[in-house]
Amino acid sequence: MDFLECYLKAGKIASEQREKTRRKDHVGSTLLTICESIEREIQEKGGIPAFPVNVSLNDIAAHYTAEPNDETIVRENDVLKIDIGVHVEGYIADTAVTVSNDPHHDSLIKSAENALNEAVRISRVNTKASEIGKLIENTISNTGFKPIQNLSGHSLAQYTIHAGKSIPNIRTIGSSFSLLSSQAYAIEPFVTMKDGQGVVFEGNIRNIFAIISRKPVKDEFVNEFLTYLWNKFRTLPFALRWILDRYEEGEARRLLDILVKKRNIHAYPILIEGKNKFVAQAEHTIVPLDGSTSVITL
Ligand code: MN
Ligand code: MN
């Protein structure tokens, strides 16, 4: 398969899972069940999860995934962001949906969806990232909400989720860049309430990990663990849940801790809205091509 066929296959699997998730009633389900069922079905369809399914509730904007025995249950008025990544031969489709059983949150969720649709509509080869950011901000403001200014979309590369370029969710000043042909980008507006801060800060929970250095450490057993992780995930993010086939939970936590302290592994903190207001997210991955733009997660 060439790179575009890989993207299209990954995108199809990711969007099928997103739409299935959108239609489901999650109230009463645990976050663990939601993550595990999506991750299992991705594999049944011939894809590989590109990162642990993110299940971020309410004022948590991003980067929470279920713990191995996570008993958190989705409640009636929760706002749940479900962010799904699928890769085929390293080519990643990244897409997200926000769900809630409470109709009070409909307009917040709609605002994120509208901003995403508007942004995708103007995104083609040579579109300026600053134009996308401006349109996202305007669309969100016009519906009475606020964009999260320190979260952004991003370019993607093979086995790399954040490949260096950011697609802003607000108007920016200074130099920008233009979208390139055959380069994948995730566009992902995050929206909060008008009285929110419009900024996220790092929380204390860190349960998504990724290798950032393969520099060996002195302890042979720890090195073996690092090699196991590299063989399994390369540079892609993973969760504790994903390594319990080989390591007992307490042991895995201890080894991860050592490698985080040695800066071999990065532990992503959850990101929380500055005034603890509800946050909604919508996300697609696009590949601008000469002539038209392929929205691979449509
Ligand atoms: Mn995502
Ligand atoms: Mn993304």
Side-chain angles (χ1 to χ4, degrees):
M1 283 196 284
D2 70 15
F3 86 97
L4 192 58
E5 289 170 324
C6 292
Y7 270 126
L8 291 171
K9 183 176 174 187
K12 184 167 185 285
I13 296 169
S15 68
E16 281 171 4
Q17 288 308 118
R18 184 197 61 227
E19 289 312 300
K20 196 171 169 188
T21 297
R22 190 201 301 275
R23 290 191 302 267
K24 239 186 212 157
D25 178 5
H26 297 284
V27 174
S29 300
T30 65
L31 295 182
L32 182 61
T33 315
I34 296 170
C35 290
E36 284 185 337
S37 65
I38 295 171
E39 289 162 4
R40 182 179 7 92
E41 287 174 29
I42 288 170
Q43 296 181 68
E44 285 167 2
K45 288 176 170 168
I48 300 174
F51 49 80
V53 170
N54 285 209
V55 279
S56 307
L57 283 169
N58 304 325
D59 60 341
I60 303 173
H63 294 173
Y64 183 84
T65 195
E67 294 284 353
N69 295 302
D70 207 314
E71 286 175 352
T72 313
I73 284 173
V74 180
R75 296 162 305 172
E76 196 69 43
N77 73 328
D78 280 339
V79 174
L80 174 60
K81 278 80 56 194
I82 300 173
D83 196 329
I84 299 167
V86 176
H87 81 83
V88 171
E89 294 176 32
Y91 296 101
I92 301 161
D94 185 1
T95 188
V97 64
T98 303
V99 294
S100 179
N101 232 47
D102 185 341
H104 287 109
H105 300 307
D106 285 354
S107 53
L108 174 73
I109 295 170
K110 258 269 153 298
S111 179
E113 301 256 335
N114 284 340
L116 175 61
N117 291 340
E118 288 296 298
V120 166
R121 189 175 53 79
I122 65 156
S123 295
R124 58 192 63 143
V125 177
N126 285 333
T127 302
K128 275 207 155 81
S130 57
E131 286 300 315
I132 299 172
K134 189 166 83 179
L135 182 57
I136 289 174
E137 175 168 358
N138 286 343
T139 308
I140 293 169
S141 305
N142 288 341
T143 49
F145 294 99
K146 200 181 252 186
I148 303 280
Q149 55 180 275
N150 60 342
L151 288 175
S152 57
H154 47 94
S155 56
L156 297 130
Q158 197 178 19
Y159 291 106
T160 307
I161 292 166
H162 288 261
K165 298 281 189 194
S166 292
I167 312 276
N169 287 326
I170 52 163
R171 59 185 68 240
T172 50
I173 46 168
S175 65
S176 184
F177 67 96
S178 300
L179 301 189
L180 298 175
S181 182
S182 302
Q183 163 70 57
Y185 301 93
I187 301 179
E188 50 181 317
F190 286 83
V191 182
T192 191
M193 315 299 288
K194 212 173 192 157
D195 57 352
Q197 197 177 341
V199 172
V200 289
F201 63 90
E202 297 185 352
N204 291 326
I205 298 172
R206 295 170 180 259
N207 66 12
I208 296 173
F209 307 91
I211 293 179
I212 48 173
S213 162
R214 293 184 68 204
K215 191 171 167 223
V217 296
K218 285 198 183 111
D219 186 320
E220 236 352 274
F221 192 68
V222 180
N223 273 331
E224 238 172 71
F225 179 64
L226 185 58
T227 303
Y228 157 80
L229 294 174
W230 174 257
N231 290 334
K232 206 163 172 174
F233 307 117
R234 304 282 147 167
T235 49
L236 291 174
F238 59 91
L240 184 58
R241 296 183 280 110
W242 289 4
I243 58 180
L244 300 180
D245 57 334
R246 264 283 281 281
Y247 292 86
E248 181 271 318
E249 184 178 334
E251 184 71 345
R253 285 190 192 273
R254 188 183 70 84
L255 293 165
L256 280 173
D257 219 49
I258 294 170
L259 289 170
V260 168
K261 288 208 176 80
K262 298 247 178 229
R263 299 185 191 279
N264 289 83
I265 285 179
H266 178 64
Y268 294 86
I270 60 166
L271 301 171
I272 306 172
E273 209 288 316
K275 287 187 173 167
N276 299 108
K277 298 297 175 181
F278 288 111
V279 177
Q281 172 202 17
E283 180 175 25
H284 273 310
T285 300
I286 65 165
V287 181
L289 299 166
D290 299 310
S292 69
T293 291
S294 179
V295 184
I296 66 164
T297 53
L298 199 61

